[in-house]
């Protein structure tokens, strides 16, 4: 894992952000990847990201590790936050590997506020677990380390025992950890907030159907075939919409829904946000009604 500090070329202040935010980084031949901000939100002079070198990298982490050097220029956008820190009576943080990065500013914030919190942090080996010294400097008594080669996986039931039901559980890491946390928190009736680096499994048993998207600003109706995404159709029609991951994990293309009922297939919106039905991630999601009216 490598930490990068990114400073604006012109020396101006960077846009503000809150714990849980991420930025887009343009790598390689225009490849865009999302990385959580893990520095100090009060420091407007630079952004800090930590990047794990992925063995199966498609050009993001490999390029950053091998090609980006001190003094080089890189294009970023954002920040955006689909993983905000909410106010609650206490916090349990569950981190797996690189999933610690969005949680680190949260931990610093709640510790500074005097809130009740604990961190359960898992990794393959103790040596591979980043920021351990920083965490222990914040409050070692609240940090539980779980190197899997020494003690196996995080015991989620034990981690959540004797925790206030109204406390927030924040989880980020590999899909097995997030899936297990969702199961345990649902059983206990606890409030869970997650951020995924890869899309969650979506029930694909139903057959995709065609529908129409109406552009609110013009009244134009666009047909979305069963085998194409909303984003593809919008871009083909010249509609200005930002998109990045195209797998429903980054939130770049989030769009307001004015009418119709979305068929949510993203890994960003909470269950409550999906039930509200007033927004959609059009790179992966579809429609349960014959027409969706989008605020575009």
């Amino acid at each position: 894992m490598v930490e990068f500090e990114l400073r604006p070329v012109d020396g101006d202040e960077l846009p503000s952000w809150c714990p849980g935010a991420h930025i887009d980084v343009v790598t390689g031949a225009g490849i865009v990847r999302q990385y959580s901000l893990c520095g100090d939100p009060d420091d407007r002079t630079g952004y800090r990201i930590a990047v794990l070198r992925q063995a199966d990298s498609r050009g993001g982490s490999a390029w950053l590790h091998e090609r980006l050097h001190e003094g080089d220029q890189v294009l970023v956008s954002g920040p955006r936050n689909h993983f905000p820190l909410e106010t609650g009576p206490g916090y349990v943080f569950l981190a797996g590997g690189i999933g610690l990065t969005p949680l680190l500013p949260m931990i610093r914030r709640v510790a500074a506020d005097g809130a009740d919190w604990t961190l359960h942090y898992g990794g393959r080996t103790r040596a591979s677990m980043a920021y351990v010294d920083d965490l222990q400097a914040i409050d070692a008594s609240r940090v539980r380390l779980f190197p899997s080669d020494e003690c196996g996986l995080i015991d989620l039931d034990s981690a959540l025992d004797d925790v206030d039901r109204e406390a927030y559980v924040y989880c980020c890491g590999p899909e097995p950890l997030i899936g297990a946390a969702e199961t345990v928190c649902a059983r206990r009736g606890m409030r869970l907030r997650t951020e995924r680096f890869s899309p969650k499994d979506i029930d694909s048993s139903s057959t995709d159907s065609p529908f129409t998207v109406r552009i609110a600003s013009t009244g134009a109706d666009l047909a979305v075939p069963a085998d194409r995404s909303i984003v593809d159709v919008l871009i083909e029609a010249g509609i200005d919409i930002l998109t990045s991951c195209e797998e429903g994990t980054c939130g770049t293309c989030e769009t307001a829904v004015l009418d119709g009922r979305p068929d949510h297939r993203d890994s960003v919106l909470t269950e409550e946000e999906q039930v509200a039905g007033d927004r959609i991630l059009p790179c992966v999601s579809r429609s349960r009604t014959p027409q969706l009216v989008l605020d575009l």
Side-chain angles (χ1 to χ4, degrees), residues 1-6 38-39 47-52 65 104 108 131 134:
M1 193 184 300
V2 174
E3 183 184 79
F4 295 88
E5 182 175 2
L6 310 175
C38 58
Y47 290 151
R48 288 182 181 270
I49 60 173
V51 182
L52 176 67
H65 273 246
L104 190 56
R108 293 191 185 111
Y131 297 110
D134 299 68

PDB file of all heavy atoms in Angstrom, residues 1-6 38-39 47-52 65 104 108 131 134:
ATOM      1  N   MET A   1       0.844  -1.188   0.000  1.00  0.00           N
ATOM      2  CA  MET A   1       0.000   0.000   0.000  1.00  0.00           C
ATOM      3  C   MET A   1       0.876   1.232   0.000  1.00  0.00           C
ATOM      4  O   MET A   1       1.882   1.287   0.706  1.00  0.00           O
ATOM      5  CB  MET A   1      -0.919  -0.004   1.225  1.00  0.00           C
ATOM      6  CG  MET A   1      -2.037   1.020   1.166  1.00  0.00           C
ATOM      7  SD  MET A   1      -3.013   1.049   2.667  1.00  0.00           S
ATOM      8  CE  MET A   1      -3.625  -0.632   2.710  1.00  0.00           C
ATOM      9  N   VAL A   2       0.496   2.208  -0.802  1.00  0.00           N
ATOM     10  CA  VAL A   2       1.236   3.463  -0.896  1.00  0.00           C
ATOM     11  C   VAL A   2       0.287   4.616  -0.621  1.00  0.00           C
ATOM     12  O   VAL A   2      -0.834   4.640  -1.128  1.00  0.00           O
ATOM     13  CB  VAL A   2       1.875   3.633  -2.292  1.00  0.00           C
ATOM     14  CG1 VAL A   2       2.509   5.015  -2.429  1.00  0.00           C
ATOM     15  CG2 VAL A   2       2.923   2.561  -2.541  1.00  0.00           C
ATOM     16  N   GLU A   3       0.734   5.579   0.190  1.00  0.00           N
ATOM     17  CA  GLU A   3      -0.044   6.782   0.425  1.00  0.00           C
ATOM     18  C   GLU A   3       0.465   7.887  -0.492  1.00  0.00           C
ATOM     19  O   GLU A   3       1.674   8.080  -0.636  1.00  0.00           O
ATOM     20  CB  GLU A   3       0.070   7.230   1.876  1.00  0.00           C
ATOM     21  CG  GLU A   3      -0.806   8.451   2.190  1.00  0.00           C
ATOM     22  CD  GLU A   3      -0.621   8.965   3.595  1.00  0.00           C
ATOM     23  OE1 GLU A   3       0.388   9.674   3.838  1.00  0.00           O
ATOM     24  OE2 GLU A   3      -1.459   8.667   4.449  1.00  0.00           O
ATOM     25  N   PHE A   4      -0.482   8.581  -1.139  1.00  0.00           N
ATOM     26  CA  PHE A   4      -0.158   9.702  -2.004  1.00  0.00           C
ATOM     27  C   PHE A   4      -0.729  10.974  -1.403  1.00  0.00           C
ATOM     28  O   PHE A   4      -1.865  10.984  -0.931  1.00  0.00           O
ATOM     29  CB  PHE A   4      -0.762   9.512  -3.402  1.00  0.00           C
ATOM     30  CG  PHE A   4      -0.206   8.339  -4.165  1.00  0.00           C
ATOM     31  CD1 PHE A   4      -0.774   7.079  -4.038  1.00  0.00           C
ATOM     32  CD2 PHE A   4       0.881   8.502  -5.012  1.00  0.00           C
ATOM     33  CE1 PHE A   4      -0.273   6.001  -4.741  1.00  0.00           C
ATOM     34  CE2 PHE A   4       1.389   7.430  -5.714  1.00  0.00           C
ATOM     35  CZ  PHE A   4       0.823   6.176  -5.586  1.00  0.00           C
ATOM     36  N   GLU A   5       0.049  12.043  -1.428  1.00  0.00           N
ATOM     37  CA  GLU A   5      -0.455  13.359  -1.065  1.00  0.00           C
ATOM     38  C   GLU A   5      -0.557  14.176  -2.348  1.00  0.00           C
ATOM     39  O   GLU A   5       0.437  14.339  -3.065  1.00  0.00           O
ATOM     40  CB  GLU A   5       0.462  14.055  -0.069  1.00  0.00           C
ATOM     41  CG  GLU A   5      -0.071  15.416   0.362  1.00  0.00           C
ATOM     42  CD  GLU A   5       0.775  16.066   1.443  1.00  0.00           C
ATOM     43  OE1 GLU A   5       1.799  15.480   1.838  1.00  0.00           O
ATOM     44  OE2 GLU A   5       0.393  17.165   1.884  1.00  0.00           O
ATOM     45  N   LEU A   6      -1.749  14.657  -2.635  1.00  0.00           N
ATOM     46  CA  LEU A   6      -2.033  15.394  -3.857  1.00  0.00           C
ATOM     47  C   LEU A   6      -2.283  16.851  -3.513  1.00  0.00           C
ATOM     48  O   LEU A   6      -3.156  17.159  -2.692  1.00  0.00           O
ATOM     49  CB  LEU A   6      -3.258  14.798  -4.558  1.00  0.00           C
ATOM     50  CG  LEU A   6      -3.239  13.278  -4.764  1.00  0.00           C
ATOM     51  CD1 LEU A   6      -4.564  12.807  -5.359  1.00  0.00           C
ATOM     52  CD2 LEU A   6      -2.074  12.869  -5.655  1.00  0.00           C
ATOM     53  N   CYS A  38      -8.244   9.955   3.100  1.00  0.00           N
ATOM     54  CA  CYS A  38      -7.913   9.441   4.435  1.00  0.00           C
ATOM     55  C   CYS A  38      -7.105  10.435   5.259  1.00  0.00           C
ATOM     56  O   CYS A  38      -6.567  10.084   6.306  1.00  0.00           O
ATOM     57  CB  CYS A  38      -7.165   8.112   4.333  1.00  0.00           C
ATOM     58  SG  CYS A  38      -5.641   8.161   3.372  1.00  0.00           S
ATOM     59  N   GLY A  39      -7.024  11.684   4.802  1.00  0.00           N
ATOM     60  CA  GLY A  39      -6.284  12.696   5.531  1.00  0.00           C
ATOM     61  C   GLY A  39      -7.160  13.488   6.476  1.00  0.00           C
ATOM     62  O   GLY A  39      -8.146  12.983   7.022  1.00  0.00           O
ATOM     63  N   TYR A  47      -4.962  16.586  -0.611  1.00  0.00           N
ATOM     64  CA  TYR A  47      -5.752  15.377  -0.378  1.00  0.00           C
ATOM     65  C   TYR A  47      -4.795  14.202  -0.175  1.00  0.00           C
ATOM     66  O   TYR A  47      -3.775  14.105  -0.869  1.00  0.00           O
ATOM     67  CB  TYR A  47      -6.642  15.055  -1.588  1.00  0.00           C
ATOM     68  CG  TYR A  47      -7.790  15.997  -1.829  1.00  0.00           C
ATOM     69  CD1 TYR A  47      -8.271  16.198  -3.125  1.00  0.00           C
ATOM     70  CD2 TYR A  47      -8.426  16.671  -0.790  1.00  0.00           C
ATOM     71  CE1 TYR A  47      -9.340  17.042  -3.373  1.00  0.00           C
ATOM     72  CE2 TYR A  47      -9.485  17.519  -1.033  1.00  0.00           C
ATOM     73  CZ  TYR A  47      -9.940  17.703  -2.326  1.00  0.00           C
ATOM     74  OH  TYR A  47     -10.995  18.539  -2.561  1.00  0.00           O
ATOM     75  N   ARG A  48      -5.149  13.304   0.736  1.00  0.00           N
ATOM     76  CA  ARG A  48      -4.369  12.082   0.925  1.00  0.00           C
ATOM     77  C   ARG A  48      -5.218  10.876   0.555  1.00  0.00           C
ATOM     78  O   ARG A  48      -6.367  10.760   0.975  1.00  0.00           O
ATOM     79  CB  ARG A  48      -3.887  11.952   2.377  1.00  0.00           C
ATOM     80  CG  ARG A  48      -2.792  12.931   2.751  1.00  0.00           C
ATOM     81  CD  ARG A  48      -2.322  12.723   4.188  1.00  0.00           C
ATOM     82  NE  ARG A  48      -1.299  13.681   4.556  1.00  0.00           N
ATOM     83  CZ  ARG A  48       0.005  13.493   4.392  1.00  0.00           C
ATOM     84  NH1 ARG A  48       0.432  12.337   3.881  1.00  0.00           N
ATOM     85  NH2 ARG A  48       0.878  14.408   4.745  1.00  0.00           N
ATOM     86  N   ILE A  49      -4.645   9.987  -0.233  1.00  0.00           N
ATOM     87  CA  ILE A  49      -5.280   8.714  -0.557  1.00  0.00           C
ATOM     88  C   ILE A  49      -4.272   7.604  -0.329  1.00  0.00           C
ATOM     89  O   ILE A  49      -3.055   7.828  -0.416  1.00  0.00           O
ATOM     90  CB  ILE A  49      -5.790   8.670  -2.020  1.00  0.00           C
ATOM     91  CG1 ILE A  49      -4.634   8.875  -3.002  1.00  0.00           C
ATOM     92  CG2 ILE A  49      -6.882   9.701  -2.240  1.00  0.00           C
ATOM     93  CD1 ILE A  49      -5.021   8.671  -4.465  1.00  0.00           C
ATOM     94  N   ALA A  50      -4.751   6.417  -0.028  1.00  0.00           N
ATOM     95  CA  ALA A  50      -3.886   5.244   0.109  1.00  0.00           C
ATOM     96  C   ALA A  50      -4.347   4.210  -0.912  1.00  0.00           C
ATOM     97  O   ALA A  50      -5.541   3.910  -1.003  1.00  0.00           O
ATOM     98  CB  ALA A  50      -3.956   4.681   1.523  1.00  0.00           C
ATOM     99  N   VAL A  51      -3.410   3.675  -1.662  1.00  0.00           N
ATOM    100  CA  VAL A  51      -3.737   2.790  -2.780  1.00  0.00           C
ATOM    101  C   VAL A  51      -3.058   1.439  -2.595  1.00  0.00           C
ATOM    102  O   VAL A  51      -1.832   1.358  -2.477  1.00  0.00           O
ATOM    103  CB  VAL A  51      -3.296   3.421  -4.122  1.00  0.00           C
ATOM    104  CG1 VAL A  51      -3.677   2.509  -5.284  1.00  0.00           C
ATOM    105  CG2 VAL A  51      -3.915   4.801  -4.293  1.00  0.00           C
ATOM    106  N   LEU A  52      -3.875   0.407  -2.578  1.00  0.00           N
ATOM    107  CA  LEU A  52      -3.363  -0.961  -2.506  1.00  0.00           C
ATOM    108  C   LEU A  52      -3.063  -1.451  -3.912  1.00  0.00           C
ATOM    109  O   LEU A  52      -3.890  -1.315  -4.822  1.00  0.00           O
ATOM    110  CB  LEU A  52      -4.405  -1.871  -1.847  1.00  0.00           C
ATOM    111  CG  LEU A  52      -4.062  -3.361  -1.774  1.00  0.00           C
ATOM    112  CD1 LEU A  52      -2.886  -3.591  -0.836  1.00  0.00           C
ATOM    113  CD2 LEU A  52      -5.278  -4.160  -1.312  1.00  0.00           C
ATOM    114  N   HIS A  65       1.052   2.925  -8.665  1.00  0.00           N
ATOM    115  CA  HIS A  65       2.232   2.393  -7.981  1.00  0.00           C
ATOM    116  C   HIS A  65       3.490   2.484  -8.839  1.00  0.00           C
ATOM    117  O   HIS A  65       4.586   2.734  -8.319  1.00  0.00           O
ATOM    118  CB  HIS A  65       1.986   0.930  -7.595  1.00  0.00           C
ATOM    119  CG  HIS A  65       1.309   0.772  -6.276  1.00  0.00           C
ATOM    120  ND1 HIS A  65       1.907   0.196  -5.191  1.00  0.00           N
ATOM    121  CD2 HIS A  65       0.066   1.131  -5.856  1.00  0.00           C
ATOM    122  CE1 HIS A  65       1.074   0.194  -4.159  1.00  0.00           C
ATOM    123  NE2 HIS A  65      -0.056   0.754  -4.547  1.00  0.00           N
ATOM    124  N   LEU A 104     -10.839   5.941   8.603  1.00  0.00           N
ATOM    125  CA  LEU A 104      -9.816   6.614   9.393  1.00  0.00           C
ATOM    126  C   LEU A 104     -10.197   8.052   9.744  1.00  0.00           C
ATOM    127  O   LEU A 104     -10.114   8.450  10.920  1.00  0.00           O
ATOM    128  CB  LEU A 104      -8.480   6.559   8.639  1.00  0.00           C
ATOM    129  CG  LEU A 104      -7.230   6.998   9.394  1.00  0.00           C
ATOM    130  CD1 LEU A 104      -7.052   6.217  10.689  1.00  0.00           C
ATOM    131  CD2 LEU A 104      -5.990   6.831   8.509  1.00  0.00           C
ATOM    132  N   ARG A 108     -10.983   9.568  13.623  1.00  0.00           N
ATOM    133  CA  ARG A 108     -10.364  10.781  14.168  1.00  0.00           C
ATOM    134  C   ARG A 108     -11.440  11.774  14.621  1.00  0.00           C
ATOM    135  O   ARG A 108     -11.312  12.415  15.662  1.00  0.00           O
ATOM    136  CB  ARG A 108      -9.461  11.421  13.108  1.00  0.00           C
ATOM    137  CG  ARG A 108      -8.224  10.605  12.734  1.00  0.00           C
ATOM    138  CD  ARG A 108      -7.281  11.455  11.900  1.00  0.00           C
ATOM    139  NE  ARG A 108      -6.130  10.708  11.412  1.00  0.00           N
ATOM    140  CZ  ARG A 108      -5.923  10.388  10.132  1.00  0.00           C
ATOM    141  NH1 ARG A 108      -6.818  10.742   9.210  1.00  0.00           N
ATOM    142  NH2 ARG A 108      -4.851   9.721   9.764  1.00  0.00           N
ATOM    143  N   TYR A 131      -1.643   1.902   8.885  1.00  0.00           N
ATOM    144  CA  TYR A 131      -2.091   2.927   9.840  1.00  0.00           C
ATOM    145  C   TYR A 131      -2.299   2.396  11.262  1.00  0.00           C
ATOM    146  O   TYR A 131      -2.972   3.049  12.064  1.00  0.00           O
ATOM    147  CB  TYR A 131      -3.382   3.597   9.350  1.00  0.00           C
ATOM    148  CG  TYR A 131      -3.226   4.343   8.047  1.00  0.00           C
ATOM    149  CD1 TYR A 131      -3.816   3.864   6.884  1.00  0.00           C
ATOM    150  CD2 TYR A 131      -2.494   5.523   7.982  1.00  0.00           C
ATOM    151  CE1 TYR A 131      -3.670   4.544   5.673  1.00  0.00           C
ATOM    152  CE2 TYR A 131      -2.345   6.211   6.782  1.00  0.00           C
ATOM    153  CZ  TYR A 131      -2.931   5.710   5.631  1.00  0.00           C
ATOM    154  OH  TYR A 131      -2.786   6.382   4.448  1.00  0.00           O
ATOM    155  N   ASP A 134      -0.997   4.908  13.778  1.00  0.00           N
ATOM    156  CA  ASP A 134      -1.875   6.079  13.858  1.00  0.00           C
ATOM    157  C   ASP A 134      -3.103   5.775  14.701  1.00  0.00           C
ATOM    158  O   ASP A 134      -3.532   6.594  15.520  1.00  0.00           O
ATOM    159  CB  ASP A 134      -2.325   6.492  12.453  1.00  0.00           C
ATOM    160  CG  ASP A 134      -1.166   6.865  11.551  1.00  0.00           C
ATOM    161  OD1 ASP A 134      -0.376   5.973  11.200  1.00  0.00           O
ATOM    162  OD2 ASP A 134      -1.070   8.039  11.189  1.00  0.00           O
TER     163      ASP A 134
END
